[in-house]
Amino acid sequence: QVQLVESGGGLVQPGGSLRLPCEVSGVNFRTAIMAWYRQAPGEQREWIAVISGQATTNYADSVKGRFTISRDNAESTVYLQMNSLKFEDTAVYYCHIEVPSNWKNYWGQGTQVTVSS
């Protein structure tokens, strides 16, 4: 019953910014712990950010200081603000429900972010 719909991806130049929304349904969003992951070509999926129901956050070292995860509980949407983008940020970006664990193995289609000059 869960649905995760990522959007906002596209082609951006190095140093540019993108904001990715993920619309969430089928879960009590206000208490869910949400995360963002990414998967670059030929690489395994990488965890990059997490946000609790109380809006506390943590980040992977690779994106700390450049990316910001946030949530709008009224809209059941989690966001990833991506600034100072680098070539190495090129990947498919996915949101994910960390808690409750029912959906641990569920992934949506993701959204492609390409950083290129």
Side-chain angles (χ1 to χ4, degrees):
Q1 297 180 27
V2 71
Q3 190 172 14
L4 303 172
V5 182
E6 303 96 339
S7 60
L11 178 65
V12 64
Q13 294 189 146
S17 298
L18 284 175
R19 182 173 173 84
L20 309 181
C22 174
E23 299 179 14
V24 182
S25 61
V27 69
N28 186 349
F29 184 79
R30 286 185 174 270
T31 58
I33 298 177
M34 301 297 303
W36 282 95
Y37 291 74
R38 67 186 181 187
Q39 187 167 22
E43 303 293 330
Q44 292 191 315
R45 189 149 39 213
E46 173 193 15
W47 171 84
I48 56 174
V50 65
I51 185 166
S52 74
Q54 297 77 37
T56 57
T57 60
N58 278 297
Y59 300 91
D61 288 342
S62 58
V63 306
K64 191 173 297 182
R66 299 188 298 120
F67 291 9
T68 303
I69 187 172
S70 62
R71 65 194 299 153
D72 184 339
N73 287 342
E75 299 295 329
S76 296
T77 301
V78 61
Y79 297 90
L80 187 67
Q81 177 68 47
M82 309 165 66
N83 298 327
S84 302
L85 284 161
K86 306 173 180 179
F87 294 124
E88 62 203 70
D89 295 319
T90 295
V92 178
Y93 284 73
Y94 302 89
C95 64
H96 188 250
I97 303 169
E98 302 286 84
V99 178
S101 60
N102 310 50
W103 313 112
K104 182 177 181 178
N105 298 128
Y106 177 79
W107 300 89
Q109 294 301 301
T111 187
Q112 175 71 51
V113 172
T114 302
V115 184
S116 177
S117 60

